[in-house]
Amino acid sequence: MAHLPFTRRAVLGAGAVLGLDAISGRRARAATPLTVGFIYVGPKDDYGYNQAHAQAAKALKGLSGVEITEEERVPETNAVEKTMESMINLDGATLLFPTSFGYYSPYLLNEARKNPKIQFRHCGGLWTEKDPANAGSYFGYIEQGQYLNGVVAAHASKSKKIGFVAAKPIPQVLNNVNAFLLGARSVDPAITCQVIFTGEWSLAVKEAEATNALVDGGADVITCHVDSPKVVVETAARRGAFVCGYHVDQSPLAPQKYLTGAEWNWLPIYKDAIAAMQAGKVPEHFVRGGLADGYVTMSPYGPAVSEAARRNADAVKAEMLKGGYAIIKGPLKDNAGRDVLPAGKAYPEKAADLESTNYLVEGVKGSV
């Protein structure tokens, strides 16, 4: 007899035959803690986006009165709706964190409308007041980390060419590309950054091809915004380029070539949402924060980072920790020569305009 892999979606289908009312009824009769569900588009040990969320979920398992349920490798299709339904109906989850960008519309929105008593919070900048009141979003100003990556990259670069492997040209990704270049140009205005978009959050073959193409083009420091930077980091290091990490610390993958990295710390956001639920309140609908809030951190400096680079990056980080730091400031043009901001105008990290970025700044080679 063949053994099929366990998924919540399969169990939910079986539950429809057995009678979900009976299953839910048994859970309702038992005294249960607050059950919180986490859903990941990839594996929990991907050295990237999913691992950053999974690390926070693991830390939550020690909280009193909290039960954590998780499912990984759930595609951005109606499969995530089935996973959400199973967590609600089989596990009794009342707070769900579907973490991948593509889960939001229409899948999370559909489930939020069908389950008005369940709270849904999505990682990204997509929630608006027109959406269900039991939904919401959270994200961090991780472009601050990419700006610091750029500062360190500029000190390490000999070719004055740096590279960026990106998934999709959405605002969050474009902000990171722009920040990486602007951080580098704060050190050396002659530096340029080539960006290559793969079109997918996780596509190892294209990520390797893009990294090789960047190195072939002369880039000697590489960073990325894909779900798992593992392929980019290992490929760049193997080719002799330095790397700046993203999502979590990838230094074990390239100990000698890893400079530093922009990391997520989702734990404060999750703990605040859980505390609100336990107090009988609705978690915040729109949560944002950066270095000053502890939502973003930096990887330790690698052995190749010079003392001058450390001092430079540390000084900029100190300014960011004060709050209100503007990476995007005028006069600024995009890479097609159009004006983005006039002199004297700036977008500090909390500026709503950054949620709709649709351009690459001057000095970035590539197109949206």
Side-chain angles (χ1 to χ4, degrees):
M1 178 178 176
H3 293 279
L4 299 177
F6 170 83
T7 68
R8 294 179 175 280
R9 302 182 291 282
V11 172
L12 184 63
V17 177
L18 296 172
L20 281 177
D21 287 342
I23 296 172
S24 299
R26 286 195 296 272
R27 289 191 63 90
R29 286 192 294 271
T32 58
L34 172 68
T35 300
V36 184
F38 289 87
I39 306 170
Y40 317 112
V41 72
K44 295 192 292 182
D45 58 352
D46 66 349
Y47 272 100
Y49 182 80
N50 298 290
Q51 183 169 319
H53 289 287
Q55 286 174 343
K58 183 178 180 180
L60 294 171
K61 293 178 181 179
L63 293 181
S64 175
V66 176
E67 191 171 281
I68 302 299
T69 183
E70 303 169 89
E71 185 162 357
E72 58 187 333
R73 303 177 189 271
V74 180
E76 292 177 327
T77 66
N78 65 351
V80 73
E81 289 191 58
K82 295 177 182 178
T83 294
M84 285 187 273
E85 288 174 6
S86 75
M87 287 181 170
I88 294 167
N89 293 314
L90 300 181
D91 297 307
T94 54
L95 175 61
L96 293 180
F97 292 106
T99 59
S100 192
F101 186 84
Y103 288 163
Y104 190 74
S105 180
Y107 312 116
L108 181 151
L109 294 177
N110 288 344
E111 291 302 312
R113 293 185 182 106
K114 287 195 293 185
N115 299 279
K117 294 183 179 180
I118 308 300
Q119 293 295 323
F120 300 80
R121 294 297 180 270
H122 176 259
C123 187
L126 301 180
W127 185 84
T128 70
E129 292 183 355
K130 297 178 182 179
D131 292 332
N134 60 325
S137 71
Y138 58 98
F139 206 63
Y141 307 129
I142 202 163
E143 61 267 24
Q144 294 180 323
Q146 284 288 14
Y147 187 91
L148 293 172
N149 276 350
V151 170
V152 175
H155 284 273
S157 178
K158 303 299 182 185
S159 66
K160 297 185 184 293
K161 296 179 180 179
I162 57 179
F164 202 114
V165 180
K168 301 181 182 184
I170 63 172
Q172 293 86 343
V173 177
L174 297 176
N175 284 332
N176 279 331
V177 178
N178 292 338
F180 186 54
L181 182 277
L182 291 171
R185 282 202 159 183
S186 73
V187 178
D188 185 346
I191 286 181
T192 60
C193 177
Q194 176 73 54
V195 60
I196 297 177
F197 292 97
T198 66
E200 297 292 340
W201 294 115
S202 182
L203 201 58
V205 173
K206 284 193 175 182
E207 290 160 12
E209 291 173 347
T211 305
N212 281 316
L214 292 171
V215 177
D216 289 342
D220 55 3
V221 186
I222 309 292
T223 192
C224 64
H225 185 155
V226 295
D227 267 6
S228 174
K230 187 174 188 293
V231 169
V232 174
V233 170
E234 292 181 330
T235 304
R238 188 165 55 247
R239 292 291 309 276
F242 290 112
V243 290
C244 291
Y246 189 59
H247 295 311
V248 299
D249 183 3
Q250 288 99 32
S251 60
L253 302 175
Q256 300 305 310
K257 290 295 185 178
Y258 194 83
L259 298 175
T260 186
E263 300 182 28
W264 292 113
N265 177 26
W266 300 115
L267 187 58
I269 293 174
Y270 293 146
K271 289 179 75 173
D272 286 349
I274 288 170
M277 292 286 288
Q278 290 179 322
K281 300 177 181 178
V282 174
E284 288 188 62
H285 289 95
F286 198 81
V287 178
R288 295 292 185 278
L291 283 163
D293 308 278
Y295 300 170
V296 175
T297 62
M298 295 300 293
S299 303
Y301 294 123
V305 179
S306 68
E307 185 58 33
R310 293 169 188 250
R311 288 197 304 268
N312 193 169
D314 286 347
V316 176
K317 182 180 178 181
E319 291 300 311
M320 289 179 170
L321 287 170
K322 296 177 183 177
Y325 192 88
I327 292 172
I328 302 296
K329 53 190 175 184
L332 185 67
K333 294 181 180 292
D334 68 13
N335 67 355
R338 295 182 290 261
D339 289 329
V340 174
L341 280 179
K345 187 172 182 181
Y347 293 153
E349 71 257 22
K350 295 183 180 180
D353 304 79
L354 295 174
E355 301 280 347
S356 56
T357 297
N358 61 359
Y359 57 84
L360 293 167
V361 298
E362 184 179 21
V364 176
K365 297 181 178 181
S367 59
V368 177

